[in-house]
Amino acid sequence: MTHPFLDLAPLSAEHFASIEDRVARLMDTSQNVVIMQGEALLPLEGAIRAAAGPGTVALNVITGPYGQTFGDWLRDCGATVHDLAVPFHTAVTAEQVGQALAEHPEIDFVSLVHAEAATGNTNPVAEIGEVVRGHGALFYLDAVASIAAEPVLPDAWGVDLCVIGAQKAMGGPAGVSAVSVSARAWERMAANPNAPRHSYLSLLDWKQRWVDGGRKALLHAPAQLEMLALEACVERIEGECLDALMARHATAAAATRAGTLALGGGLEPYVHEARDAAPVATTLRAPAGTDARELVSKALAVDPVLPLVAGGGALAQEMIRVNHYGPQATRGVVQSSLAALGGALAEAGFEVDLEGARKAVAAAWE
């Protein structure tokens, strides 16, 4: 028996390289783009371990849980780390980053998450990049959640290591990811004796055996189905137009925020200012005296496919996340999500305005 997912011709190096080129165009970058054969944690960790070591002095910006993880990796590499943490209901500013760099002029590495889907905030990378570039530090950016939901421009922003994943706003597979690498980032890695080599984490292996070899021979058997899925998702983005896709995400975020405020019942946006809110997901603060997990459970009992989850870790009891990304960045999904939450709140004894929320979502979408 044959099966379309199993009996495929091998993915050639030429085909693999052509997918990398399309991803590079999506990022509007002339830097080397390496597609890595694993979920985005692979290049996120690999890039830090390649570029950081005992002599590194890092500024690690924390606006959510991933920023905390990056600080752990940097310390594990032997780097001296200065954390810049801001409340999760807001975003970091370029002024705050500039002040931290001025206080510690020896900093030579800056790590930042663009959009924190877990906390619903997004950071002004263009302005921050200008400050980091002026300081001369290497700039590492996690754009996994933001790519295709808002502009991601490594070259224009001076980002040296920019990691993306396809599973959120791109609406693609989770099993492959990519990182764009500047020339000076490659130089930093090559000068780092602790950079992984002959390892699945190694970016330098990809540089030596893939990039420098003219992209003629792959390091190992590619994740064929995931690569084809990535190609299909990039093709779909090209068909819709990236600007239109980003506009759809922005509208979904605005509609969710407006609908929440109109719904009432004590539910409110977790991120205080709309300008700090990520277009990929909207986080909501559950009403006092309620448990976010119970509200989400009741909402999902009405429609189990809705993109609703409770916050993680310490935020589990107070935060609800509406993941309006990729194919779910639609008016129908936003409307259904708020209606289900409104029903859960009404069942808990709160007064809600379902019709007001519906009208607010409709108005935002027009």
Side-chain angles (χ1 to χ4, degrees):
M1 294 178 63
T2 62
H3 193 287
F5 288 163
L6 299 178
D7 302 304
L8 296 168
L11 188 72
S12 68
E14 181 181 12
H15 193 174
F16 192 105
S18 73
I19 299 172
E20 279 188 341
D21 290 339
R22 292 176 83 166
V23 172
R25 288 194 292 272
L26 181 68
M27 300 171 73
D28 196 20
T29 183
S30 60
Q31 299 177 2
N32 294 137
V33 170
V34 177
I35 297 179
M36 301 195 75
Q37 305 296 281
E39 196 270 338
L41 282 172
L42 174 61
L44 285 169
E45 182 175 358
I48 281 181
R49 295 196 180 277
T56 302
V57 181
L59 174 65
N60 180 52
V61 181
I62 301 176
T63 59
Y66 276 98
Q68 294 170 327
T69 297
F70 299 159
D72 292 339
W73 286 340
L74 286 162
R75 290 181 175 90
D76 190 55
C77 289
T80 299
V81 182
H82 300 282
D83 287 324
L84 171 56
V86 301
F88 291 173
H89 63 255
T90 186
V92 72
T93 66
E95 290 76 18
Q96 288 173 311
V97 172
Q99 181 178 351
L101 293 174
E103 291 174 356
H104 302 283
E106 69 278 16
I107 286 171
D108 60 4
F109 186 97
V110 175
S111 52
L112 174 71
V113 178
H114 187 181
E116 282 270 13
T119 48
N121 54 35
T122 190
N123 294 300
V125 182
E127 292 85 351
I128 293 170
E130 185 176 354
V131 173
V132 174
R133 188 165 56 247
H135 185 80
L138 205 73
F139 192 11
Y140 164 100
L141 183 69
D142 171 356
V144 174
S146 55
I147 185 69
E150 53 188 308
V152 174
L153 303 168
D155 292 9
W157 297 342
V159 179
D160 296 288
L161 293 159
C162 183
V163 177
I164 67 167
Q167 70 268 31
K168 288 188 167 64
M170 288 177 66
V176 287
S177 48
V179 54
S180 65
V181 187
S182 71
R184 70 179 193 144
W186 286 128
E187 293 173 0
R188 177 75 71 91
M189 295 178 200
N192 180 10
N194 294 328
R197 298 302 304 268
H198 312 296
S199 162
Y200 203 59
L201 279 173
S202 178
L203 280 169
L204 284 175
D205 287 355
W206 282 95
K207 174 71 162 62
Q208 180 181 359
R209 298 171 56 189
W210 174 245
V211 177
D212 292 347
R215 299 193 298 178
K216 301 297 184 184
L218 289 161
L219 276 65
H220 45 71
Q224 175 146 312
L225 292 177
E226 287 82 358
M227 288 297 295
L228 294 175
L230 175 62
E231 182 180 41
C233 111
V234 173
E235 185 174 295
R236 184 168 62 182
I237 291 169
E238 292 169 347
E240 181 175 358
C241 177
L242 180 59
D243 287 344
L245 179 57
M246 291 190 294
R248 179 156 61 83
H249 281 85
T251 302
T256 305
R257 193 176 186 89
T260 297
L261 293 172
L263 179 66
L267 198 66
E268 59 185 24
Y270 186 86
V271 177
H272 293 182
E273 302 293 336
R275 66 173 182 272
D276 297 333
V280 72
T282 298
T283 48
L284 307 173
R285 190 180 298 277
T290 65
D291 189 316
R293 294 164 294 189
E294 294 179 4
L295 291 174
V296 168
S297 179
K298 290 179 180 179
L300 290 178
V302 176
D303 187 349
V305 302
L306 291 174
L308 298 171
V309 294
L315 299 173
Q317 188 171 344
E318 64 179 283
M319 178 187 285
I320 297 169
R321 192 167 79 239
V322 184
N323 291 324
H324 44 69
Y325 52 69
Q328 295 172 322
T330 67
R331 173 177 171 176
V333 166
V334 171
Q335 181 64 63
S336 297
S337 297
L338 291 179
L341 287 172
L345 286 167
E347 185 179 339
F350 292 88
E351 184 177 345
V352 295
D353 185 355
L354 292 173
E355 180 61 16
R358 186 194 68 78
K359 289 180 178 178
V361 169
W365 218 273
E366 291 174 356

